Amino acid sequence: MRRDEMTLGMMLLQAGCHEAAWRDPRVPADGGVDIDYFADLAARAESAAFHFIFCADSPSVLDEAHATIARRGRNDGFEPMTLLSALSSRTQNIGLVVTATTTYNQPYHIARMLASLDQLSRGRAAWNIVTSGYKFEAANFGEKELPNHSTRYARAREFVGVVKGLWDSWEDDAFIRDKQSGVFVDTKKMHTLNHQGKCFSVRGPINTARPPQGHPVLVQAGASDIGMTFAAEIGEVIFTAEPCLENGKRYYAALKEKARTFGREDNQVLVMPGLVPIVGRTKQEASDKLERLHSYTHIDVLMGVAERWLGLVIDLRSVDLDSLVPDTLPQTNLFQSRQKLLLELSARRKFTWRQLVSHICDSAGHLMVVGTPDEIAQTMVDTFDQRAADGFNLCLATLPDGLKDFIELVVPELRRRGKLRSSYAGQTLRENLGLKRPLNSFTQPRV
């Protein structure tokens, strides 16, 4: 059965999701290297019973042009596994979603680190599984170009299978630690993976006890055809970008249907689109907040960010920005689904290049609502009730004020409508999301 209350997460960033957020006078310019700043954000989200905080990541500087790098407040942050491990000791209940790419990591490393984070947090870890999508990452790992889209997903599927197998290296009660007998672990309950695949050869076992959750929660954001199949097969929380309700309903229905073909239950696959809420006590106040951010945004940032999300090989400075965006562009090897979404949105709204570039900088293609607490809450409820979402991943334009405003103004409206909880249901993230704890694959009967 689908629950009546929505799930709620928050993207944890050093300034906020808007590209000009760091220039806001109320945003700490050095938040990206201040653990107390992140701990305060986590504590605020936990006080409102958010289900999780989420750290996005790319193991590279995201831009090539120095003019763009110079003006973006993005390249001084902590590595997310390290950050969330630190925050695990400064929070009690909130889930910790860490991003780690399957393209430029090894399964053994990721299995060990995430099992450790789950132990440190007493069962609150989750893995946002991504395939690298930024061309700048390849050169950091000895490659000239990213592998093609299908190759990245084939590696990812095998990678996840290996990690899950490694998490099952030990049965839950393997470590008996009996001082009297001198037996620390029952080796009959140790399992060696011995994986031999196309991409990986991994013996195992890992030298870390089975995670408290069995497996940390698996998060995915696939939206291309191949990515959606991958998400439906392995994802337990699905991040998506969808600014249009009708398209969101279609994606939700298609994803759930595809998950059923893998024998999965609807309530074990939670669809959580990104939401950019800019809230004011009046509509004008909210609009003024957005306009202030526009005034801080430099043209170099606008162009650089748009070119990256669209996978463009052209320089937007050579384009007439007041001309209409074409219906098609050369397909990118980077973010294929986001390019498609942005072009469809442009066609629907008849965007000029200038309008599209501004929209990307404001929201990166996510649903954005600029308005009063009632307007934002009602949009969320409508999206939830019409089955375009099981909850939302908040992409707050500025931090910490955007979080403060959302908790103070929007959260009470959601609770008044009976759509948001006020306390945690259990200790682990799985318990709070209503997700089943996986059984150990080595102890299950072979079919």
Side-chain angles (χ1 to χ4, degrees), residues 11 21 46-47 82 118 163 184 213-214 217-218 228 230 246 248-249 258 265 291 315 334 339 345 350 352 357 393 415:
M11 186 180 288
E46 188 169 67
S47 73
T82 308
D118 210 45
V163 169
F184 190 80
Q213 296 184 101
V217 174
L218 300 180
M228 191 173 175
F230 183 57
E246 290 306 313
K249 288 163 66 175
K258 194 174 286 286
E265 301 170 56
E291 285 308 309
D315 183 352
L334 308 178
Q339 183 198 62
L345 178 69
K350 294 182 168 49
T352 64
V357 165
N393 187 29
R415 288 182 178 151

Side-chain angles (χ1 to χ4, degrees), residues 282-333:
T282 65
K283 181 82 169 179
Q284 187 60 52
E285 181 184 332
S287 297
D288 289 345
K289 287 181 180 181
L290 181 57
E291 285 308 309
R292 278 197 298 275
L293 288 171
H294 287 167
S295 73
Y296 302 142
T297 309
H298 194 275
I299 188 66
D300 289 335
V301 174
L302 284 168
M303 297 300 187
V305 172
E307 287 170 5
R308 176 164 51 81
W309 276 116
L310 290 167
L312 295 181
V313 295
I314 59 171
D315 183 352
L316 278 176
R317 292 164 186 79
S318 67
V319 173
D320 178 3
L321 294 181
D322 294 313
S323 63
L324 290 175
V325 177
D327 292 339
T328 60
L329 291 169
Q331 188 179 55
T332 176
N333 184 37

